[in-house]
Amino acid sequence: MHKLLTFFYLLTLSCWSQNPIQSSLNLMPWPQEVQENEQQFTVTPNLTIAINGPSGMRVPHTATSFLRRLSNRSGVFINEGFPAPFSNDSTASITVNFKTIAALSIETDESYNLQVTANGISINATTDVGAIRGLETLLQLLENDATSYYFVGVNITDAPRFVWRGLMIDVSRHFHSVDVIKRNLRAMASVKMNVFHWHLTDDQGFRVESKTYPKLHTVASDGLYYTHEQIKDVVAYANKLGIRVIPEFDVPGHATAILTAYPELGSKPDASYTIERFSGVFNPTLNPIIEDTYTFLENLFTEIAPLFPDAYFHIGGDENAGKHWNENEAIQQFKADNNLATNHDLQTYFNIRLEKILNKLGKHLVGWDEIMTPNMPKTAVIHSWRGENEGLQKGGTLIEAAQKGYKTILSNGFYIDRMESVIKHYQTEPIGTISLSAEEEACILGGEVTMWSELVTSLTIDSRIWPRTAAIAERLWSNKTVTDVNHMLKRLQVINYNLEAVGITHLRNKAVVLRNLTNNQNIDALKTLTNICEPLKIYSRNEGGTEYKTYSPFTLFADACTADAMDALQFNHLVKHFLADKNEATSAEIKILLTRWADQYELFSKLEKNPKLTPLEPLSLNLSQVSATLLNLLNGKKVPKKTLKECKKQITLLKQPFADTELMIVNNLELLFEALK
Amino acid sequence: MHKLLTFFYLLTLSCWSQNPIQSSLNLMPWPQEVQENEQQFTVTPNLTIAINGPSGMRVPHTATSFLRRLSNRSGVFINEGFPAPFSNDSTASITVNFKTIAALSIETDESYNLQVTANGISINATTDVGAIRGLETLLQLLENDATSYYFVGVNITDAPRFVWRGLMIDVSRHFHSVDVIKRNLRAMASVKMNVFHWHLTDDQGFRVESKTYPKLHTVASDGLYYTHEQIKDVVAYANKLGIRVIPEFDVPGHATAILTAYPELGSKPDASYTIERFSGVFNPTLNPIIEDTYTFLENLFTEIAPLFPDAYFHIGGDENAGKHWNENEAIQQFKADNNLATNHDLQTYFNIRLEKILNKLGKHLVGWDEIMTPNMPKTAVIHSWRGENEGLQKGGTLIEAAQKGYKTILSNGFYIDRMESVIKHYQTEPIGTISLSAEEEACILGGEVTMWSELVTSLTIDSRIWPRTAAIAERLWSNKTVTDVNHMLKRLQVINYNLEAVGITHLRNKAVVLRNLTNNQNIDALKTLTNICEPLKIYSRNEGGTEYKTYSPFTLFADACTADAMDALQFNHLVKHFLADKNEATSAEIKILLTRWADQYELFSKLEKNPKLTPLEPLSLNLSQVSATLLNLLNGKKVPKKTLKECKKQITLLKQPFADTELMIVNNLELLFEALK
């Protein structure tokens, strides 16, 4: 614990501190109003929960799960394993009061008040969804000393800033079973997220059983798809957690899987297709000028829509370059005949027809921001994803959509598959300083984290989603003024570990990958490396060197590494601080890290080698030598010129990627070296 | 690796070596015939699999899974991610030949031949089930050096000794989701097991959706049950792996959950029931003298039986003491009227009526060995479970059943929930030296591991089932002469780790429990303790001190510990060896362990305490002090008398349980102390 405290002490000296939060509570997302009262409610075997509200599934489910998690974390053998109905002579420890069972929508009231005193705990909410949000806050108030666990005394009044706080999971590039989805739904609920966007189809697989078009799942899924029963199960489970489920059927592009099953719907005459195995943007596209396409989509959506009770339905609509449209004479003729100047206009024609189909089914159309063309009806929801990488302004399409009167949600800035730091995502403020009218601002529903799955399997997906998504959940729930990065990072460490209790596998599966890497030898050296290396960012892992297919091994070193490599974050701040003031205490902290890195090669070198380890040898060795040299310099020892020259070379060498990862400390190793040599 | 080698070297000096196996291959179960040819087949990106046989699901499924596991383990980016159909000009690396698609039954041919040479690999089998057994053997032949992965050259001819090699999982005492079941099915297939016995009902919950009697799942399951679709999914998945699924509906005892839903079927007039939360044997029992009971069971079984295509159906029948029968006058009158002298006779009457119902449904009745009463028809299968603990001979009912002409399977000796050593289970030979006629021997179908789940949740169940079940799988597959315990233990270490690759969570979840125990602090001290402590055995964990309910915390120290605590096994053998010959090398090995134990308290003492850690403090401290004293004695240092006296006390103290675990080294600490003091 000592190390962590020092670490955060140092971070507070950095430039990030804005609107600092003084409280030591580990709440995330941070509530709108928090008052502490210096009391505690102690957890004993006699703890009980009473439910005071109309009967429904959500509160009993979450209260039962609350009791299990409380018992598991505290070790207290709670006598009553289930909540009880409220009665007037109730002496329950925790009373959960609410007035109505909510129908989930963008109108759902999620507000609650939570009071904890030494004598009892009460949650008051208008709806059962607000009540379960309050129970999650309460569990985050659990703390302990040597002799007991207790809830910290507070009075919290809370409600979300945005109504749409989502996580998208792509199950096409890699399939993820119902259990993987459910554990992520539990984790979402634990940080008060309320939309699960299920990216169900793409070039690499169609993941839904279709009774109308069975080739979609028999031919285009490799046998990996959800049955209708499984979808109903997931939707019902999400509903119990107060989470809406939005399906996405990505058309007219990203359609290779659909066309593998039904090639006659493609834009390339007489083509045949096979399920895509690589990552990227591909040309297979539905043919927008034949009625069969619309018949197909109407029948399919008519079959599928009832599985998803939510009012919104996502049709993708992204990344259609239109190559196969350009090559198809009939399509070009159709454009000319219908005054559709560009492929964009043609796609708008397609989208408008889809919107009508969905309207008949009682659904609002949602699409990625390419659908925002001049003729697109204002009933569509614009999903803003493009930004600086695509030559647009950061989050620009969100503001543009709002100003044009579209409802809109933000994902630009929340692409966690890019493997960037949580700090960057946390600082993605949807509206920022732009001045919007009340009506325009009301159009901005919220945002969604996007977990594209080209480079993740079920073994690693949790370590990509979490914990960064918890910080984004805060961005979407908490007040705009909650921007204290240091405080967020401190709280995130606790939340990160608590995610294990709902079944998230991000921490435990790291060791699985490292055991695989070593064939079950001592993994300590590799653990040290994973704490300073991060997977190559922004899709560069898939460029140049290795090109990954869907069935490539995702059990390698890069898969054990994550964004925000813990020791790197610490080291980089220490070095910045040390270079400024040459503080002795900071130097001592740096030496601890350098010693760890200097020593790791001895352990690494003892491993029986295998081809998976080979690419890490130069990383381990050179890091060890550079660290040893820097230690000598820091300790004021005389270092031979030859060694210094060698060290410079070694640092240069360490700047290259190793096994699809980058060493996140290399620049500060170099700065330290330049300052000390 | 050094430590392990030494360890096994030492074990070979012990008394266990019988029929020693010379091969270094890590195959489990050990095949009937193995010839090594000193060749290797190297794994490259060009590796392909061709399937030469009639079309079916099993071989394509297992071959695809084989390719993923091979790629994940080796890190080789295999170009073709799927097997291809065989053609005459095939140049496939691996050819899988088989003649028929098997219908799973006790008649299924599971034999195969596997040849690996430098030029290629072929599997030849009669059925597709034999073929997938061969693929599992092949994957166990994967080895590596520093530069490549390869399959070891062999000619293996193999077939099982017993046709019934099962694992029973109790999903009533604690529910386990479809994903938990599926990962265990994959693990079973990886060691060639072929029967999944699904204990679906008991006092603590009825786990199957019933459309005929919906209160069974709505009232008697706490919402934790399998839908018909989920059962079909599991059965189909098992079928792909060559695993039969036998459902168990435990009646007339173990019926509290059923009676919670339908109390009118109980033997206690006008009683009401609630789902049982404790472990044990309870009195609620179906009423065998009312027709409603048989109507209920016939309707229920008629609804459920089609979900389970297997010819066998388990009706439990165990542990009915008949207390509620004795107390019911009408039942006593019925016994008198029908010449049923004892409750056993009455239960036989009940069983015979069930047998007729099941026969109508095309099913053979299986029951625990209490059903073997004089009038029980010979078409029933006797599941032998009682033994020395129940005042009977070990495995006696198995032999008795065979001699009486019943088909029979053995579970006595395979109760892994008793938390005993794998060695004991491995040495449970079903037939032993008893002389049976060929007909009698043919009655012995095989055996089943039983995983009763009173004390496990989905977090810990894998660490109870595995790896011990793999050794039992060998007992049931391999030749009776395969009894080399040292060789088994060596192979089991490799198999143990390979189980991670099919998703078994036994290794990874230990760290989860320890992080929970420490609130996410350094877990190294606790890891050291888990390697010498084991959960209290033979259900004593649930006696005396803590009485566990189904919703008690199973996230405590005992849940992180397992049978066969690794360092304890090593230490106990080292001490035995050392006391015999005072060997210096052995002394050095002992000192390494003692140093580890002496040091762990320093780490433990640094932990911020919480109530879960408190009971471990005296264990950690006294172990540390005893180890330090023994180190001094071993090093020939003079130890004050006071310290020696203190050490003796400390050893006595360490003999008591700590946090529901026992210190498995304490007797050898004492022997060492007595020898050195």
Side-chain angles (χ1 to χ4, degrees):
Chain A
M1 295 301 280
H2 171 69
K3 198 192 79 189
L4 293 179
L5 290 174
T6 313
F7 174 31
F8 287 113
Y9 165 72
L10 284 165
L11 284 193
T12 57
L13 300 175
S14 83
C15 58
W16 289 332
S17 297
Q18 301 158 336
N19 304 314
I21 301 175
Q22 300 304 332
S23 168
S24 68
L25 296 175
N26 291 304
L27 301 172
M28 184 171 285
W30 193 256
Q32 303 298 337
E33 288 175 41
V34 183
Q35 289 170 0
E36 296 179 51
N37 60 25
E38 300 192 346
Q39 297 185 43
Q40 297 179 354
F41 184 92
T42 303
V43 179
T44 73
N46 298 323
L47 181 138
T48 53
I49 302 184
I51 300 178
N52 184 17
S55 85
M57 298 287 280
R58 287 186 196 118
V59 177
H61 175 87
T62 298
T64 303
S65 152
F66 176 97
L67 286 167
R68 296 294 171 281
R69 288 189 276 160
L70 177 61
S71 177
N72 285 340
R73 276 180 57 190
S74 66
V76 174
F77 283 62
I78 297 172
N79 294 321
E80 287 298 329
F82 297 88
F86 178 82
S87 65
N88 280 330
D89 57 350
S90 172
T91 55
S93 327
I94 303 171
T95 307
V96 184
N97 305 293
F98 59 98
K99 295 192 179 63
T100 61
I101 304 294
L104 295 186
S105 77
I106 60 170
E107 312 286 337
T108 305
D109 184 334
E110 298 181 271
S111 67
Y112 67 92
N113 171 266
L114 166 64
Q115 296 195 40
V116 178
T117 70
N119 299 320
I121 296 170
S122 66
I123 292 172
N124 286 284
T126 305
T127 72
D128 58 342
V129 176
I132 64 175
R133 302 290 179 247
L135 277 166
E136 294 296 341
T137 303
L138 177 57
L139 201 56
Q140 292 183 348
L141 290 168
L142 184 68
E143 300 198 354
N144 71 284
D145 54 29
T147 57
S148 70
Y149 276 81
Y150 55 83
F151 296 106
V152 177
V154 290
N155 185 347
I156 287 176
T157 300
D158 202 9
R161 177 183 176 202
F162 291 112
V163 298
W164 191 302
R165 305 177 307 280
L167 168 63
M168 189 213 76
I169 297 182
D170 167 10
V171 296
S172 176
R173 277 63 177 260
H174 282 97
F175 183 72
H176 303 285
S177 74
V178 167
D179 267 27
V180 176
I181 301 298
K182 282 186 175 178
R183 72 188 185 219
N184 278 286
L185 289 169
R186 288 193 295 274
M188 288 171 67
S190 78
V191 291
K192 302 185 174 57
M193 299 180 86
N194 67 355
V195 175
F196 170 48
H197 168 175
W198 209 347
H199 185 80
L200 287 160
T201 75
D202 215 302
D203 298 299
Q204 293 83 355
F206 189 96
R207 303 300 181 197
V208 180
E209 172 192 29
S210 170
K211 297 174 205 259
T212 323
Y213 298 104
K215 281 197 278 182
L216 287 173
H217 68 274
T218 57
V219 172
S221 79
D222 296 315
L224 301 169
Y225 62 89
Y226 306 102
T227 64
H228 287 198
E229 295 301 320
Q230 288 176 321
I231 290 171
K232 286 183 205 165
D233 181 32
V234 167
V235 170
Y237 193 78
N239 188 301
K240 280 197 277 192
L241 300 170
I243 296 173
R244 300 159 48 215
V245 181
I246 316 289
E248 179 182 349
F249 289 78
D250 200 351
V251 285
H254 290 276
T256 309
I258 294 174
L259 296 178
T260 300
Y262 297 98
E264 60 272 25
L265 301 177
S267 297
K268 190 165 181 171
D270 303 321
S272 69
Y273 303 82
T274 55
I275 296 174
E276 185 56 55
R277 305 299 176 191
F278 286 105
S279 302
V281 178
F282 304 97
N283 294 317
T285 311
L286 296 185
N287 187 334
I289 71 162
I290 57 174
E291 283 309 300
D292 286 354
T293 297
Y294 301 101
T295 307
F296 168 83
L297 291 172
E298 177 154 7
N299 289 342
L300 180 64
F301 291 173
T302 303
E303 177 190 359
I304 299 300
L307 301 174
F308 297 96
D310 199 80
Y312 292 83
F313 195 103
H314 204 301
I315 56 95
D318 55 319
E319 297 185 318
N320 171 27
K323 182 160 177 286
H324 283 189
W325 287 359
N326 292 339
E327 291 168 4
N328 181 318
E329 282 180 25
I331 290 176
Q332 292 311 312
Q333 188 59 49
F334 182 90
K335 280 165 65 178
D337 293 348
N338 290 274
N339 291 319
L340 301 166
T342 67
N343 285 342
H344 262 296
D345 294 335
L346 179 57
Q347 191 165 339
T348 303
Y349 164 84
F350 173 86
N351 290 338
I352 291 172
R353 292 204 55 174
L354 253 59
E355 220 239 346
K356 291 197 177 120
I357 292 171
L358 289 176
N359 283 347
K360 271 202 273 181
L361 297 167
K363 304 289 186 192
H364 300 292
L365 179 149
V366 189
W368 301 102
D369 58 19
E370 287 97 327
I371 72 163
M372 184 165 56
T373 51
N375 295 323
M376 196 66 202
K378 293 293 188 284
T379 47
V381 178
I382 306 303
H383 194 161
S384 168
W385 75 276
R386 290 176 300 170
E388 287 158 329
N389 267 51
E390 294 75 25
L392 300 177
Q393 213 178 339
K394 188 175 169 179
T397 58
L398 183 87
I399 302 302
E400 184 188 340
Q403 288 169 336
K404 285 182 173 160
Y406 291 100
K407 285 199 173 72
T408 183
I409 49 180
L410 182 67
S411 279
N412 181 255
F414 300 143
Y415 266 51
I416 51 171
D417 65 317
R418 293 160 58 101
M419 303 305 293
E420 296 176 287
S421 170
V422 64
I423 296 168
K424 180 168 175 175
H425 297 303
Y426 189 67
Q427 292 179 329
T428 297
E429 158 56 39
I431 299 176
T433 55
I434 293 164
S435 170
L436 295 175
S437 72
E439 272 167 20
E440 288 166 351
E441 196 155 329
C443 280
I444 298 179
L445 300 180
E448 279 186 9
V449 175
T450 48
M451 180 68 247
W452 301 104
S453 70
E454 284 89 346
L455 297 173
V456 300
T457 65
S458 297
L459 184 72
T460 55
I461 191 169
D462 291 4
S463 73
R464 276 57 185 140
I465 299 177
W466 306 102
R468 290 177 298 155
T469 291
I472 302 174
E474 171 158 298
R475 175 57 46 243
L476 296 170
W477 173 285
S478 302
N479 195 287
K480 190 175 170 177
T481 59
V482 175
T483 56
D484 182 340
V485 170
N486 295 321
H487 201 264
M488 179 276 287
L489 289 173
K490 170 196 159 283
R491 288 177 286 131
L492 192 62
Q493 284 217 335
V494 176
I495 296 297
N496 186 37
Y497 145 65
N498 285 343
L499 286 164
E500 285 213 309
V502 295
I504 294 299
T505 61
H506 59 324
L507 301 178
R508 67 192 87 171
N509 283 359
K510 182 191 236 192
V512 175
V513 177
L514 296 183
R515 279 192 287 269
N516 184 64
L517 214 55
T518 59
N519 297 337
N520 202 28
Q521 299 175 75
N522 183 333
I523 60 175
D524 288 346
L526 292 174
K527 256 194 201 162
T528 299
L529 294 177
T530 60
N531 290 333
I532 44 177
C533 291
E534 297 184 11
L536 294 177
K537 296 186 195 325
I538 319 180
Y539 314 137
S540 55
R541 180 171 172 188
N542 223 341
E543 284 161 9
T546 316
E547 199 173 7
Y548 286 83
K549 291 180 176 177
T550 51
Y551 46 73
S552 296
F554 291 98
T555 51
L556 304 178
F557 182 66
D559 304 296
C561 298
T562 63
D564 299 308
M566 198 170 67
D567 290 349
L569 200 55
Q570 184 186 7
F571 179 72
N572 292 340
H573 281 277
L574 289 169
V575 170
K576 185 188 282 184
H577 186 53
F578 176 77
L579 295 180
D581 64 6
K582 301 287 190 297
N583 181 298
E584 261 309 305
T586 312
S587 169
E589 297 279 334
I590 290 174
K591 283 180 203 166
I592 292 172
L593 289 170
L594 289 174
T595 304
R596 188 181 303 164
W597 301 333
D599 290 351
Q600 52 76 34
Y601 181 69
E602 197 197 334
L603 271 179
F604 185 92
S605 66
K606 281 185 188 156
L607 296 172
E608 274 185 23
K609 289 301 176 294
N610 69 57
K612 295 169 291 186
L613 287 178
T614 307
L616 299 172
E617 173 87 32
L619 167 65
S620 175
L621 175 61
N622 286 286
L623 172 65
S624 175
Q625 293 173 339
V626 168
S627 302
T629 304
L630 287 172
L631 267 176
N632 283 337
L633 289 170
L634 264 182
N635 287 327
K637 289 196 185 150
K638 182 136 182 78
V639 176
K641 272 210 177 140
K642 198 184 141 196
T643 305
L644 290 177
K645 213 172 151 187
E646 188 63 23
C647 188
K648 205 173 160 64
K649 265 198 219 163
Q650 289 160 338
I651 289 173
T652 306
L653 190 140
L654 289 172
K655 287 181 179 177
Q656 67 175 312
F658 295 92
D660 289 346
T661 67
E662 49 186 321
L663 181 63
M664 300 306 289
I665 54 169
V666 70
N667 290 336
N668 280 296
L669 289 175
E670 187 168 39
L671 289 176
L672 196 59
F673 174 75
E674 295 298 334
L676 297 171
K677 75 175 177 187
Chain B
M1 296 303 278
H2 169 70
K3 198 192 79 189
L4 294 179
L5 290 174
T6 313
F7 174 32
F8 288 112
Y9 165 73
L10 283 166
L11 284 193
T12 57
L13 299 176
S14 83
C15 58
W16 288 331
S17 298
Q18 301 159 337
N19 304 313
I21 300 174
Q22 301 303 331
S23 168
S24 69
L25 297 175
N26 290 304
L27 301 172
M28 184 172 284
W30 193 256
Q32 303 297 338
E33 287 176 41
V34 183
Q35 289 170 359
E36 296 178 52
N37 61 25
E38 301 192 348
Q39 296 185 43
Q40 297 179 353
F41 185 91
T42 303
V43 179
T44 73
N46 298 323
L47 180 138
T48 53
I49 301 183
I51 300 177
N52 184 15
S55 85
M57 297 289 278
R58 288 185 195 118
V59 178
H61 175 86
T62 298
T64 303
S65 152
F66 176 96
L67 286 167
R68 295 296 171 280
R69 288 188 277 161
L70 177 60
S71 177
N72 284 341
R73 274 181 57 191
S74 66
V76 174
F77 284 62
I78 297 172
N79 293 321
E80 287 297 331
F82 297 89
F86 179 80
S87 65
N88 281 328
D89 57 350
S90 172
T91 56
S93 326
I94 303 171
T95 308
V96 184
N97 305 293
F98 59 98
K99 295 193 178 63
T100 61
I101 304 294
L104 294 185
S105 77
I106 61 169
E107 311 286 337
T108 304
D109 184 334
E110 298 181 89
S111 67
Y112 67 93
N113 172 267
L114 166 64
Q115 295 195 40
V116 179
T117 70
N119 299 319
I121 297 169
S122 67
I123 291 171
N124 287 283
T126 305
T127 72
D128 58 342
V129 176
I132 64 175
R133 303 287 179 250
L135 278 166
E136 293 295 343
T137 303
L138 177 56
L139 200 56
Q140 292 183 349
L141 291 168
L142 184 67
E143 300 198 354
N144 71 284
D145 54 29
T147 57
S148 70
Y149 277 81
Y150 55 83
F151 296 105
V152 178
V154 289
N155 185 348
I156 288 176
T157 301
D158 202 9
R161 177 181 175 202
F162 291 111
V163 298
W164 192 301
R165 305 176 307 281
L167 168 63
M168 188 212 77
I169 298 182
D170 167 10
V171 296
S172 175
R173 276 61 177 260
H174 282 96
F175 183 71
H176 303 285
S177 74
V178 166
D179 266 27
V180 176
I181 302 298
K182 283 186 175 177
R183 73 187 185 220
N184 277 287
L185 289 169
R186 290 193 294 274
M188 288 171 67
S190 78
V191 291
K192 301 185 174 59
M193 299 179 86
N194 69 354
V195 175
F196 170 49
H197 168 175
W198 209 348
H199 184 79
L200 288 161
T201 75
D202 215 302
D203 298 298
Q204 293 82 356
F206 189 96
R207 304 300 182 197
V208 180
E209 173 191 30
S210 170
K211 296 174 206 257
T212 322
Y213 298 103
K215 281 196 278 182
L216 288 173
H217 67 275
T218 56
V219 172
S221 79
D222 296 316
L224 300 170
Y225 61 90
Y226 306 102
T227 65
H228 287 198
E229 295 301 319
Q230 287 175 321
I231 290 171
K232 286 182 205 166
D233 181 32
V234 167
V235 170
Y237 193 79
N239 187 302
K240 280 196 279 193
L241 301 170
I243 297 174
R244 300 160 48 217
V245 180
I246 316 290
E248 178 182 349
F249 290 78
D250 201 350
V251 286
H254 290 276
T256 310
I258 294 175
L259 296 178
T260 300
Y262 297 98
E264 61 273 24
L265 301 177
S267 297
K268 190 167 181 171
D270 303 320
S272 70
Y273 303 82
T274 55
I275 297 174
E276 185 56 55
R277 305 299 177 191
F278 286 105
S279 303
V281 178
F282 304 97
N283 294 318
T285 312
L286 295 185
N287 187 334
I289 70 162
I290 56 174
E291 282 310 299
D292 285 356
T293 296
Y294 300 100
T295 307
F296 168 82
L297 290 172
E298 178 155 7
N299 288 343
L300 179 66
F301 290 173
T302 303
E303 177 190 359
I304 300 300
L307 301 174
F308 297 95
D310 200 80
Y312 292 84
F313 195 102
H314 206 300
I315 56 95
D318 55 320
E319 295 185 318
N320 171 28
K323 182 160 177 286
H324 284 189
W325 288 358
N326 292 339
E327 292 167 2
N328 181 319
E329 283 180 24
I331 290 176
Q332 293 310 312
Q333 189 59 50
F334 182 90
K335 280 165 64 178
D337 293 348
N338 291 273
N339 291 319
L340 300 167
T342 66
N343 285 342
H344 261 295
D345 295 335
L346 179 56
Q347 190 165 340
T348 303
Y349 164 83
F350 173 86
N351 290 338
I352 291 172
R353 292 203 58 174
L354 253 59
E355 221 239 345
K356 290 197 178 118
I357 292 170
L358 289 175
N359 284 346
K360 271 202 272 180
L361 296 168
K363 303 290 186 191
H364 300 292
L365 180 148
V366 188
W368 301 102
D369 58 21
E370 287 98 327
I371 72 163
M372 185 165 56
T373 51
N375 294 322
M376 196 67 202
K378 293 293 187 289
T379 46
V381 177
I382 306 302
H383 194 159
S384 167
W385 76 276
R386 291 176 301 170
E388 289 158 329
N389 268 49
E390 294 76 23
L392 301 177
Q393 212 177 341
K394 188 176 169 178
T397 58
L398 184 88
I399 301 302
E400 185 188 339
Q403 287 169 337
K404 286 182 173 161
Y406 291 99
K407 285 200 173 69
T408 183
I409 49 180
L410 182 65
S411 280
N412 182 254
F414 301 143
Y415 266 49
I416 50 171
D417 64 318
R418 293 161 58 100
M419 303 306 292
E420 296 177 288
S421 170
V422 65
I423 296 170
K424 179 167 175 176
H425 297 303
Y426 189 68
Q427 291 180 329
T428 297
E429 158 55 39
I431 300 175
T433 55
I434 293 164
S435 170
L436 296 175
S437 71
E439 273 166 20
E440 287 166 349
E441 195 156 333
C443 280
I444 298 178
L445 300 180
E448 278 187 12
V449 176
T450 49
M451 180 68 247
W452 301 104
S453 69
E454 284 90 345
L455 296 173
V456 300
T457 65
S458 298
L459 184 72
T460 55
I461 191 168
D462 292 3
S463 73
R464 276 57 186 141
I465 300 177
W466 306 103
R468 291 177 298 157
T469 291
I472 302 174
E474 172 159 297
R475 175 57 47 242
L476 297 170
W477 173 286
S478 301
N479 195 288
K480 189 176 171 177
T481 59
V482 175
T483 56
D484 183 340
V485 170
N486 296 321
H487 202 262
M488 178 276 286
L489 289 173
K490 170 197 158 283
R491 288 178 286 130
L492 192 62
Q493 284 216 333
V494 176
I495 296 296
N496 186 37
Y497 145 66
N498 284 344
L499 287 164
E500 285 213 309
V502 295
I504 294 299
T505 61
H506 58 325
L507 301 179
R508 68 192 87 172
N509 282 359
K510 182 191 233 189
V512 175
V513 177
L514 297 183
R515 279 192 287 270
N516 184 64
L517 215 54
T518 58
N519 297 337
N520 202 28
Q521 299 174 74
N522 184 333
I523 60 175
D524 289 345
L526 293 174
K527 257 194 199 160
T528 299
L529 294 177
T530 62
N531 290 334
I532 44 178
C533 291
E534 297 184 12
L536 294 176
K537 296 189 196 323
I538 318 179
Y539 314 137
S540 55
R541 180 172 171 187
N542 224 342
E543 285 162 9
T546 317
E547 199 173 6
Y548 286 83
K549 291 181 177 177
T550 50
Y551 46 73
S552 296
F554 291 97
T555 51
L556 303 178
F557 183 64
D559 304 296
C561 297
T562 63
D564 299 308
M566 199 170 66
D567 290 349
L569 200 56
Q570 184 186 8
F571 179 73
N572 293 339
H573 281 278
L574 289 170
V575 171
K576 185 187 283 185
H577 186 52
F578 176 77
L579 294 181
D581 65 4
K582 303 285 189 300
N583 182 297
E584 262 309 304
T586 312
S587 170
E589 296 279 334
I590 289 174
K591 285 180 204 166
I592 291 172
L593 289 171
L594 289 173
T595 305
R596 188 181 302 164
W597 302 332
D599 290 351
Q600 52 76 34
Y601 181 69
E602 198 198 333
L603 270 178
F604 185 92
S605 65
K606 281 184 188 158
L607 295 172
E608 273 185 23
K609 290 301 177 294
N610 69 57
K612 295 169 291 187
L613 287 177
T614 306
L616 298 172
E617 172 88 31
L619 167 65
S620 175
L621 175 62
N622 285 288
L623 173 66
S624 175
Q625 292 173 340
V626 168
S627 302
T629 302
L630 287 172
L631 267 176
N632 282 337
L633 289 170
L634 265 183
N635 286 327
K637 288 195 186 151
K638 182 135 181 80
V639 175
K641 271 211 175 138
K642 196 183 144 197
T643 305
L644 289 177
K645 211 171 152 188
E646 188 63 23
C647 188
K648 204 172 161 64
K649 266 198 218 162
Q650 288 160 339
I651 288 173
T652 305
L653 191 141
L654 289 172
K655 287 182 179 176
Q656 66 176 312
F658 295 93
D660 289 345
T661 67
E662 50 186 320
L663 181 63
M664 301 306 290
I665 54 170
V666 70
N667 290 337
N668 279 296
L669 288 175
E670 186 168 39
L671 289 176
L672 196 58
F673 174 75
E674 295 297 334
L676 297 172
K677 74 176 181 192

